[in-house]
Amino acid sequence: MTELSVPVRKPARPHFSSGPCAKPPGWSPDKISTESLGRSHRSKIGKSRLKYCIDLLREVLQVPDTHRIGIVPGSDTGAVEMAMWTMLGARPVTTLAWESFGAGWVTDAVKQLKIDPSVMEAPYGELPDLGAVDWSNDVIFTWNGTTSGVRVPNGDWIAADREGLSIADATSAVFAQDIAWDKVDVLTFSWQKVLGGEGAHGVLILGPRAVERLESYTPAWPLPKVFRLTKGGKLIEGVFVGETINTPSMLAVEDAIFALEWAKSVGGLEGMIARANANAAALNGIVEERDWLGHLAADPATRSNTSVCLTVEGADTDFIKKFAGLLEAEDAAYDIAGYRDAPAGLRIWCGATVDTADIEALGPWLDWAWESLKA
């Protein structure tokens, strides 16, 4: 390769992974509260910290009192699977897929639960026709497609008089995008995305229509213990005040509490959304200045402000691997190769825990990697 001048300024925190994502600014291990560590999660302090985490989630996300919030095992995947296994089968199902995780829920519905759903698909970078969704069905969708960079524009397309449940995998959307809580019956996410928390645990939010389904319907298939949300036909309310189904990592809980308190310090939900929007705008400016870069999501109205997926002119998987490897070797950008099932390209996390100055500093490094490989 021809020797090219290396950019002078590096991102102070080159953490652009789309999960686990950058820790909140100012985070360090010694700032995590440790009083609950080594204690039972069912002790007074354990239950109080779990409940405090749930209370913070409600406050920062502005979740209405009509919805219950529970901490569950298995990250966002576990939370989605819990909803599917406990609630589906009561009525027809529609699954929407425009990226890999949405496609995964289709596979589970077809091959595991064998419920023969109606499948509405779109290629990476696009959305299916949301106006054609039949809301007499239960509907499963990703609010923000992490691996395609495409999000639903809002909740207007969800019928207010729906007969079925709306089940939203919103793991890359919450804390960065407005959620129409009156249009959501089930919502799931993980701390590891916009909060910059740790993985392993998921969050399951249930509206009143989801609770009604759980208490009135028993699925035909057996349920593993970690999925059971009812006992004797009634919701297990303890799950939604911190009495988790299985043993949680209290270290991960304390880390999430730190992130939530940080979120409050930057203006709560509005501040978090503003930070993500500023990051996405800065990255869009970089893209618009370079003819070899583009957005996989062509429509700005449905383009993610968190997991931004970019096309690179003429690039294949091998080129992207080398491109990302050059930047990682220079500690200029970590983990920016696109998802393995997505079209070859870059994926740069713009969630609220990333600083806009670091996005801005990334531009010259993208040029350097591009020119180095082209040379």
Side-chain angles (χ1 to χ4, degrees):
M1 294 191 305
T2 304
E3 285 295 325
L4 297 168
S5 58
V6 178
V8 175
R9 184 166 72 97
K10 294 181 181 180
R13 294 188 304 139
H15 298 81
F16 301 112
S17 163
S18 290
C21 300
K23 305 300 287 183
W27 180 92
S28 67
D30 61 327
K31 293 183 179 180
I32 303 300
S33 177
T34 58
E35 286 79 4
S36 68
L37 305 190
R39 298 293 306 274
S40 169
H41 62 296
R42 304 196 188 282
S43 66
K44 184 177 180 180
I45 187 173
K47 288 197 289 188
S48 68
R49 295 300 281 175
L50 284 159
K51 185 177 184 301
Y52 179 51
C53 185
I54 289 172
D55 290 344
L56 282 173
L57 287 167
R58 184 179 299 280
E59 179 184 357
V60 176
L61 281 178
Q62 301 175 13
V63 179
D65 292 339
T66 53
H67 288 55
R68 292 167 169 86
I69 303 173
I71 297 169
V72 300
S75 194
D76 176 63
T77 302
V80 176
E81 295 282 5
M82 182 178 287
M84 292 179 65
W85 281 71
T86 57
M87 298 181 213
L88 297 187
R91 63 189 312 118
V93 175
T94 297
T95 54
L96 276 63
W98 58 87
E99 50 93 49
S100 62
F101 289 104
W105 310 140
V106 173
T107 299
D108 288 348
V110 172
K111 293 188 176 181
Q112 307 303 322
L113 299 180
K114 303 183 187 305
I115 56 177
D116 192 24
S118 171
V119 180
M120 298 178 62
E121 295 181 295
Y124 278 82
E126 300 178 24
L127 280 177
D129 181 4
L130 300 181
V133 174
D134 181 357
W135 284 104
S136 65
N137 292 1
D138 293 334
V139 179
I140 306 169
F141 66 98
T142 52
W143 196 284
N144 182 97
T146 308
T147 64
S148 70
V150 176
R151 63 175 173 180
V152 296
N154 48 51
D156 295 350
W157 61 284
I158 303 173
D161 60 349
R162 61 194 176 279
E163 298 173 43
L165 299 178
S166 62
I167 301 174
D169 169 1
T171 197
S172 297
V174 290
F175 302 103
Q177 299 165 21
D178 285 315
I179 302 297
W181 291 108
D182 61 325
K183 299 294 186 71
V184 171
D185 299 309
V186 180
L187 183 138
T188 68
F189 66 92
S190 166
W191 297 327
Q192 66 168 307
K193 297 292 187 180
V194 186
L195 274 182
E198 292 301 299
H201 300 299
V203 175
L204 177 70
I205 301 181
L206 303 179
R209 300 179 73 252
V211 174
E212 180 184 13
R213 171 71 61 83
L214 286 167
E215 293 185 336
S216 64
Y217 167 70
T218 301
W221 42 79
L223 290 177
K225 179 181 178 180
V226 292
F227 285 178
R228 296 173 199 161
L229 292 168
T230 60
K231 185 175 183 180
K234 292 294 181 182
L235 190 73
I236 303 173
E237 294 286 359
V239 172
F240 303 95
V241 292
E243 297 172 12
T244 54
I245 293 172
N246 69 337
T247 306
S249 162
M250 292 308 299
L251 182 58
V253 171
E254 294 294 352
D255 185 75
I257 287 172
F258 175 91
L260 287 160
E261 291 178 337
W262 170 81
K264 287 181 63 177
S265 76
V266 297
L269 181 60
E270 291 78 10
M272 296 281 278
I273 292 174
R275 285 180 63 92
N277 284 343
N279 291 337
L283 183 56
N284 184 59
I286 290 171
V287 173
E288 290 185 339
E289 292 171 356
R290 290 155 178 81
D291 57 10
W292 55 272
L293 269 180
H295 285 284
L296 183 59
D299 183 359
T302 60
R303 186 181 299 156
S304 174
N305 64 342
T306 57
S307 55
V308 182
C309 296
L310 305 179
T311 59
V312 177
E313 183 181 279
D316 58 13
T317 301
D318 184 59
F319 184 94
I320 293 298
K321 183 178 180 180
K322 292 176 180 177
F323 191 107
L326 282 176
L327 294 176
E328 181 167 344
E330 294 288 336
D331 295 317
Y334 300 145
D335 311 316
I336 66 168
Y339 192 71
R340 60 181 180 270
D341 294 334
L346 305 175
R347 183 171 58 154
I348 297 170
W349 185 255
C350 290
T353 57
V354 173
D355 289 318
T356 304
D358 288 336
I359 295 288
E360 294 169 342
L362 187 58
W365 285 97
L366 297 178
D367 291 333
W368 173 79
W370 167 259
E371 291 166 3
S372 295
L373 289 175
K374 282 295 182 179

